[in-house]
Amino acid sequence: MVICTVCGDHGLNVAYNVSRGYWHRQFSTTPAKLRKAASSCDICMATTTVLDAYAGWDWDDEITKMNFASKPGVAMVLWWLDKNDKAERNVQLYSPEGVKAPWPIFAPRHSISSHGASDDAFAIAKTYLFDCLTSHSVCKSNSTRQLPKRLVDVGSFSVAHPFLTECSEQAYRYLALSYCWGEEQRVTTTLQSFEEKQRKIDLSSLPRTLRDAVQIARQMQVQYLWVDSLCIIQDDENDWSVESSHMRSIYQNALFTICADAAQNVHSGIFSLHSLACQSSSLVRGPDGQQHTISIRNSKSFCKPGVTLDDSDTGNPNVQVYPLTRRAWALQERVLSTRILHCNEREISWECKEAFRCECQEPTQTKNRGDLASLQIFGALYERWDLLGFTQAWQKIVGSYTTRELTRDMDRLPALSGIARLVQELLLRHDVDDTYLAGLWRFNLAQDLTWHQSLWRSTLKRPPSYRAPSWSWASVEGRISFSYGVRSKVQIVNSYCAPAGPDPTGKITGGSLTLRGLCIPIEMRIRPAGLLPCKNENGEATSYYCEERHVIRNQTLARSMQIQDHQAHRENLSEADKDFLDAIEGGTAYGNHDFFLDDNGYEPPQFVDKGYKCLLVGESTSGNVRTATGLQYGKLISHWLILKPSDRVSGTYERLGYISSNEVFRCYLREGAQDHVIELV
């Protein structure tokens, strides 16, 4: 077997060393080199033959650089950009399933169904379901079998129309649907249409996504289907409140959940052509003199095991962001489901508590990975409890959740209530305080109170209508983040939330926190953007540009606490602060602080006393600092809430923002701070 320097020099020939196996290899070449090597190299000859059949155009002139990669168990992937570095193309070269080519680098791969509604697609889905039901012990371990109040009886293909049925005590096997409503959802169950839908649901009147879901249930031979728009009476507030509080059991107890990933709205449908299906195949003469089939297909956006909950945050251009990943309700529908059948324009894929499977890859076991794969967030915690890991998992879920969209603004808490109830079960199981306070947990209150605007995402905005107390992240719109490792410096005197319905983790009408801690009065203003005077390292006068930002001060200190660079502002520091800086590795600036307002745009350019306060809620340690003596110690960070007198409830305060500061600012803020009991609403 002949191997040329184009691929051999880059290590691809290790694929032929059976004793060593073969490891991930990657290299780049040009079309001209590849074409030239094809006359004497088996791999290059096979590659060019397949590309000629696939491209249908003179790819030699359109491509300037080609990149190859291969790793164990995965066929060779090839990608390139056109001459303008714009049109990216990713393809996979492989042998058809069950066919062993003489070149191990063209590994056999599973075939991908051509269409979501094809017989092949349903056969694959049935295989995934059968394997899970028969071999996955974790997926069988549902603790309850609570049924939804209503289900859609889809019957069979011989039955013209489905209908709505009330569930009895008998066992039902049903599917659940996770999808995007979109702006228009005409076919719903209302008080007026309820009795009619119990007799018949006109299949032809259903939007395409719902019709496709009925077809999936019938093809999978499952008689019942749960769809929120049909199984909840949409204009009955009590029915909606009760049924929405059961989301955890509805999705957890479904045989599997159908995720209409790519459907923009209820009219888009679930089924489509699969872009990852085989594009073309070529017969290539092998070193044995026989003709062998090598196939090629698109490979961009292949599913990867361990895809995070917030797929839009991966930063990987090869991960497809689907409309469903932008929907807030869909987050808990995915997390709570025992099994999921993903349907999109690329392929059929499967997700359960023990495995992730897709048509383009081998099954991958995900048990005990401990990452943010949707069904594993709390799965590992059931088996190995880790309170720190738990709190970080919850806060990552909230961070992902706040990037997503809601049709109804008041659903901010209800759309996460199913996960909150799961969390409560975990806390109770491990004897941890399970009190839930409008998206925060009492046992971890100090750290949960450090929510703030994400540094690299959107700004925050408070909506005009009340939906949560000001100290809850649910009271604002926009992506949030949390500070980690916060040790509480406040005592919880009292806390409560008033639920609007039967679900204590859902919609609320009010809430308050009464805390005891160090408080200091402050004033605040906006400093306009512009050049600020300073001195450089040589003591020469210069200036630097500073963006617009908020500045706070304490009147008793008679100085601003907005210090961006201590070296540039040494003349503004006390001798004690200068000594502190000199002790920190050559006077490096460690005085920065992060300042976040929950809602911008209403502070004056001059300091004004509005009765604002800063409340110390916690402290944390971040990294190590080397001193002049060579000692290292953790950098102490203090975490403060900015509060203003409430306009709604006399004698109370509302959260206005958050400050994270290190030692120098901690000293500034704590100077003159006094112990107070303060109520937040």
Side-chain angles (χ1 to χ4, degrees), residues 7-73:
C7 52
D9 286 350
H10 295 279
L12 288 185
N13 58 329
V14 300
Y16 298 95
N17 190 327
V18 178
S19 63
R20 290 176 55 192
Y22 83 98
W23 303 93
H24 180 269
R25 301 285 173 173
Q26 182 172 325
F27 74 95
S28 300
T29 188
T30 63
K33 289 182 179 179
L34 186 67
R35 183 76 73 181
K36 182 177 180 180
S39 60
S40 58
C41 172
D42 292 334
I43 293 179
C44 294
M45 178 269 297
T47 302
T48 55
T49 300
V50 175
L51 281 175
D52 285 337
Y54 165 77
W57 39 266
D58 192 359
W59 53 272
D60 303 59
D61 294 333
E62 292 294 325
I63 302 172
T64 56
K65 182 180 180 181
M66 310 176 74
N67 304 284
F68 293 80
S70 186
K71 58 183 178 181

Side-chain angles (χ1 to χ4, degrees), residues 1-3 7 12-16 22 27 34 38 41-51 66-78 91-110 280 282-287 291-297 362:
M1 186 175 297
V2 181
I3 302 295
C7 52
L12 288 185
N13 58 329
V14 300
Y16 298 95
Y22 83 98
F27 74 95
L34 186 67
C41 172
D42 292 334
I43 293 179
C44 294
M45 178 269 297
T47 302
T48 55
T49 300
V50 175
L51 281 175
M66 310 176 74
N67 304 284
F68 293 80
S70 186
K71 58 183 178 181
V74 178
M76 183 172 70
V77 174
L78 167 64
V91 295
Q92 186 179 49
L93 280 67
Y94 64 100
S95 300
E97 187 175 11
V99 176
K100 187 176 181 180
W103 309 282
I105 199 169
F106 302 123
R109 306 307 301 158
H110 293 294
S280 65
S282 301
L283 289 174
V284 181
R285 184 177 297 277
Q291 296 285 346
H292 298 274
T293 300
I294 304 297
S295 299
I296 187 171
R297 65 188 180 196
E362 299 289 344

Side-chain angles (χ1 to χ4, degrees), residues 506-517:
K507 183 179 176 181
I508 63 174
T509 58
S512 77
L513 282 177
T514 304
L515 304 175
R516 179 189 294 275

Side-chain angles (χ1 to χ4, degrees), residues 371-514:
D371 59 15
L372 267 183
S374 64
L375 300 178
Q376 298 304 115
I377 294 177
F378 297 111
L381 298 179
Y382 272 105
E383 300 171 14
R384 177 183 291 179
W385 175 251
D386 173 14
L387 189 59
L388 176 61
F390 163 81
T391 57
Q392 291 178 345
W394 169 259
Q395 290 174 348
K396 287 179 180 179
I397 285 177
V398 172
S400 172
Y401 177 73
T402 55
T403 66
R404 298 176 176 232
E405 301 167 356
L406 281 167
T407 303
R408 299 199 324 169
D409 182 66
M410 298 307 295
D411 289 352
R412 190 70 157 175
L413 288 171
L416 198 64
S417 65
I419 299 179
R421 290 198 166 205
L422 173 62
V423 171
Q424 284 185 320
E425 179 183 311
L426 283 167
L427 295 175
L428 281 173
R429 182 175 299 188
H430 296 280
D431 297 321
V432 179
D433 185 356
D434 68 330
T435 305
Y436 183 68
L437 300 168
L440 286 64
W441 296 98
R442 183 182 170 105
F443 83 92
N444 194 46
L445 186 63
Q447 181 164 299
D448 281 355
L449 284 171
T450 66
W451 60 266
H452 54 272
Q453 167 192 335
S454 177
L455 290 172
W456 55 283
R457 282 287 177 137
S458 61
T459 58
L460 302 181
K461 191 73 176 177
R462 290 196 188 277
S465 58
Y466 181 90
R467 64 185 183 191
S470 65
W471 41 265
S472 167
W473 54 261
S475 68
V476 298
E477 295 174 354
R479 182 190 175 95
I480 66 162
S481 299
F482 292 87
S483 297
Y484 293 109
V486 178
R487 300 180 297 275
S488 178
K489 290 296 178 181
V490 291
Q491 176 188 351
I492 304 173
V493 178
N494 188 34
S495 63
Y496 87 94
C497 284
D503 184 6
T505 61
K507 183 179 176 181
I508 63 174
T509 58
S512 77
L513 282 177
T514 304

